[in-house]
């Protein structure tokens, strides 16, 4: 299993034609009208300046992994693993910092305010005490109350818009819709791209229509590289927004090198570098000014690395806003 | 994307050596002691004859799809799509028919008694009316009550044992553990193999240790066929159990041919043939005696094809038991 040349060569080749060909090959998004309406309603509410005259800040947090279908009538697909924990936690801290959040997430992954629940909270957290009265089982009562109340609170106030995706095709089409909508906010919009996006895909038209048959020999597959959309997001979709992308590697020796490369190649404002095994303890915030390591507060049992990370990013966003307005 | 020879050739090649090599290459199961204990407790309870002297019947229902990791520190994997709806519905009907059920299911897929709930029932079905009182939101109250009460009822009575898997390695190791345990029940045990099992895998030792790097060219992958375990299940793991496997195809022209082939090659008692687009409406029950089409009762809005299907299979299991004892 190997790609045919090094990563440097890779990213040189992303062109407008590659991107057009990716979107042309994508199956049309089923609920695009509904998404357009939801985005409009969300922006109508959250683009009005606050009482003290400050413009609202809006962040699009992407979360979870995308899938790549291998067959048109989809039975098999390649998936990128991501629990969505980072995106869910970060959404909570952005809301706390006063941002309105568009949470673009993979169906079935971790949801904001639901991180301390057991695996199957619906079946594990409740019991009926008689025919019509339900009760929360101990020891879950505090976690359940927080999850349900805090979640409904931000949804009802219109501060959190949740948009689910599954495939790489859905994800990139939805990201484009969100980005072109948010572009009206100029530098007040932020992108926090924590989703684990597939690097390779099978173009829809060259995909097997029916289920691939198993045979005696090995299965040989050839996947094409997904064009890098970060550059297009920065240049065309939302050119004034503050953009943060993530780099996850299992090999720490190449991590910072790849983070630097992403920063310069895609003109990101920040790249957050994280290593698979230590990602809940420490991340490195890479900007044009240098690298800052951010760690979880180890004196607290339940602390999150996203707490200091979002604080730092909000500060950097404020500086970006001052620079943009001066 | 193509396998190198036809399906007939394929299945000839499965040998004891292939199976040994698959298990040797698998990462060890993490919670095998815990599973052994749970199986022992479940069988101690459910292998005692009932009050009227009938032996208990136990079925192992497998449900949902397996994954194939592409990297040892798993970020990417190939997944087989299956909602787990068939397995969850069938489990309910087997319990209704008096069977005890081992539900071997993919994490995150549909659970018994939870089929009529919304997508994210935990967040959508409840609200806090004050700090300590929770209430079920309309229109979900009946569905929630059934899900929670019926589910807890069978769990508490020890009639339903739920065992979750994710990878093909976990699935086959757990199936072997369940099968060798259930073999003590002889013909009273049944296997209802509705899981969507991967056909191809990457042997653990030849797998990339680190995340595959994206490059400019296409990604070429070569996957090896998963040895067919059905024959081993029938011949060695649980030779007297009643075995039902499933054949799912998107192309109905090859479906029945493949079902017949599975029946004779793996010595299944029944193969249930289903086509992707119509699988909730109709299935074909294929046995050595012929083919019977089973349809959902279309006069009822909420009827399931699993209702008449399980009735038919329970009858066939009864005949198998009579034949085995005479």
């Amino acid at each position: 299993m190997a790609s045919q040349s090094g990563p440097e060569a890779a990213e040189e080749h992303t062109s407008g034609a590659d991107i057009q060909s990716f979107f042309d090959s994508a199956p049309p998004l089923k609920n695009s009208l509904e998404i357009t309406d939801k985005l409009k309603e969300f922006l109508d509410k959250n683009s009005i300046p606050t009482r003290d005259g400050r413009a609202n800040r809006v962040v699009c947090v992407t979360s979870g992994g995308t899938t790549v279908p291998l067959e048109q009538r989809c039975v098999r697909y390649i998936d990128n693993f991501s629990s969505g924990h980072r995106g869910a936690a970060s959404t909570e801290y952005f809301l706390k910092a006063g941002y309105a959040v568009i949470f673009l997430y993979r169906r079935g992954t971790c949801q904001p305010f639901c991180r301390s629940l057991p695996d199957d909270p619906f079946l594990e957290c409740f019991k009926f005490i008689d025919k019509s009265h339900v009760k929360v089982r101990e020891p879950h009562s505090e976690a359940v109350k927080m999850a349900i109340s805090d979640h409904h609170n931000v949804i009802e106030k219109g501060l959190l818009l949740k948009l689910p995706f599954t495939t790489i095709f859905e994800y990139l089409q939805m990201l484009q819709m969100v980005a072109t909508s948010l572009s009206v906010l100029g530098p007040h919009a932020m992108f926090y791209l924590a989703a684990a996006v597939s690097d390779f895909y099978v173009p829809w038209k060259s995909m097997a229509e029916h289920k691939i048959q198993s045979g005696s020999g090995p299965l040989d597959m050839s996947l094409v590289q997904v064009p890098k959309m970060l550059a297009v997001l920065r240049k065309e979709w939302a050119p004034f927004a503050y953009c943060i992308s993530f780099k996850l590697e299992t090999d720490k020796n190449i991590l910072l090198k790849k983070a630097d490369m992403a920063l310069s190649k895609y003109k990101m404002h920040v790249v957050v570098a994280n290593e698979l095994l230590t990602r809940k303890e420490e991340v490195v915030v890479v900007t044009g000014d240098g690298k800052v390591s951010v760690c979880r507060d180890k004196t607290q049992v339940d602390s999150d690395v996203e707490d200091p990370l979002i604080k730092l990013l909000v500060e950097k966003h404020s500086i970006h806003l001052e620079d943009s307005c001066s």
Side-chain angles (χ1 to χ4, degrees), chain A residues 249-257 275:
Chain A
E249 293 292 336
T250 57
D251 182 352
K252 70 175 172 187
N253 297 317
I254 59 174
L255 176 60
L256 292 179
K257 190 173 153 251
E275 201 196 325

Side-chain angles (χ1 to χ4, degrees), chain A residues 126-249:
Chain A
F126 301 97
K127 62 180 169 194
F128 273 83
I129 44 175
D130 60 41
K131 279 200 169 176
S132 53
H133 290 92
V134 70
K135 206 170 174 265
V136 181
R137 286 172 183 251
E138 291 303 340
H140 306 299
S141 71
E142 276 310 305
V144 168
K145 202 191 313 179
M146 190 187 96
I148 293 178
S149 304
D150 292 2
H151 185 269
H152 288 162
N153 183 36
V154 289
I155 295 277
E156 274 158 28
K157 284 189 180 151
L159 292 170
L160 174 61
L161 173 64
K162 303 207 300 184
L163 300 174
F165 63 82
T166 302
T167 68
I168 177 78
F169 301 113
E170 289 169 347
Y171 171 76
L172 286 175
Q173 288 175 98
M174 287 165 80
L175 183 62
Q176 183 183 27
M177 289 173 78
V178 172
T180 50
S181 301
L182 284 190
S183 66
V184 298
L185 296 177
H188 295 278
M190 184 197 275
F191 286 85
Y192 180 88
L193 304 162
V197 182
S198 315
D199 293 315
F200 299 99
Y201 78 112
V202 183
W204 192 253
K205 280 161 196 165
S206 72
M207 210 178 281
E209 188 193 353
H210 288 295
K211 193 176 163 191
I212 301 160
Q213 294 302 311
S214 63
S216 66
L219 175 75
D220 294 316
M221 293 199 299
S222 187
L223 290 98
V224 177
Q225 190 161 34
V226 173
K228 304 289 177 184
M229 298 286 177
L230 292 182
V232 193
L233 171 69
R234 276 289 287 132
K235 216 165 123 185
E236 293 174 26
W237 297 347
F240 302 102
Y242 195 66
C243 287
I244 299 151
S245 72
F246 281 73
K247 208 50 161 171
L248 172 76
E249 293 292 336

Side-chain angles (χ1 to χ4, degrees), chain A residues 65-86:
Chain A
T66 61
T67 70
V68 169
L70 299 178
E71 297 149 328
Q72 277 194 15
R73 305 190 188 182
C74 185
V75 176
R76 295 192 189 89
Y77 53 87
I78 296 185
D79 204 347
N80 269 38
F81 176 73
S82 170
S83 66
H85 189 278
R86 171 91 74 215

